[in-house]
Amino acid sequence: MRYVLLDRITSLKPPETATALKCVSLAEDYFSDHFPGIPVMPGALQLEGLAQLGGTLLEASLRQRGREDLSALLTMIDRAKFRTPVRPGDRLEMETRVVQFSEDAGRVKAQASVDGKVVTEAEITFAFVQVENSKLLQSRREYLNILLHGKSE
């Protein structure tokens, strides 16, 4: 994954909600081009962070049903709104809530806030695909443990 846009998952309560943090730093390489002299976190990356959190929530929900072999694949983003620019130094607080969940697909309502003010929101839909590669499944488990606990198993 080129960009991991979650620093820490602060709450994971499948099949209902998940919250996470992203501390936005001027060291992020996208700030050199977006925009010179006026650094703003790209909206597409804000949505990607929300999608990473939403996918994690849905995959945890699948694991509760005994489906560790399925992965959430982003298929659609609806009603995306960017209310306020996100800048270096901001602490992006992300939340996702499951609005639809089945064995085939899931949908979350997602929002990101800075200092208690909503800056980004969207509805994000995922399809579930079967993953048979055991190394990939182990890598995803390690990634989740690091985000939740700061270390792998």
Side-chain angles (χ1 to χ4, degrees):
M1 184 180 318
R2 172 78 167 106
Y3 290 107
V4 176
L5 293 162
L6 305 174
D7 290 333
R8 174 73 62 158
I9 295 176
T10 54
S11 173
L12 182 59
K13 298 176 183 171
E16 298 168 7
T17 66
T19 58
L21 298 174
K22 170 65 178 162
C23 295
V24 182
S25 168
L26 188 56
E28 308 280 357
D29 63 353
Y30 49 78
F31 282 131
S32 64
D33 298 316
H34 201 273
F35 298 98
I38 309 170
V40 175
M41 183 179 190
L45 295 181
Q46 294 173 52
L47 290 174
E48 175 62 24
L50 290 167
Q52 289 175 10
L53 182 60
T56 299
L57 172 59
L58 291 171
E59 288 178 10
S61 301
L62 288 166
R63 284 193 301 279
Q64 282 188 333
R65 293 184 176 185
R67 295 303 309 261
E68 295 194 27
D69 62 328
L70 296 177
S71 183
L73 179 67
L74 174 67
T75 58
M76 188 172 15
I77 296 176
D78 286 320
R79 296 176 185 87
K81 295 179 184 166
F82 305 99
R83 301 193 178 281
T84 305
V86 176
R87 302 189 182 280
D90 285 344
R91 181 175 180 220
L92 201 58
E93 299 173 6
M94 296 181 257
E95 179 181 2
T96 57
R97 293 189 171 280
V98 173
V99 294
Q100 183 270 326
F101 177 66
S102 71
E103 289 292 319
D104 299 319
R107 185 174 186 83
V108 299
K109 187 168 186 155
Q111 73 176 30
S113 303
V114 173
D115 296 328
K117 182 179 179 185
V118 175
V119 295
T120 306
E121 58 188 305
E123 289 186 18
I124 306 173
T125 304
F126 299 84
F128 301 136
V129 295
Q130 189 166 19
V131 177
E132 296 177 2
N133 183 318
S134 61
K135 288 182 182 179
L136 179 58
L137 290 169
Q138 178 62 29
S139 171
R140 294 179 73 79
R141 281 191 294 273
E142 287 177 10
Y143 167 74
L144 179 60
N145 278 323
I146 290 169
L147 287 173
L148 282 168
H149 310 294
K151 60 183 178 178
S152 61
E153 293 178 296

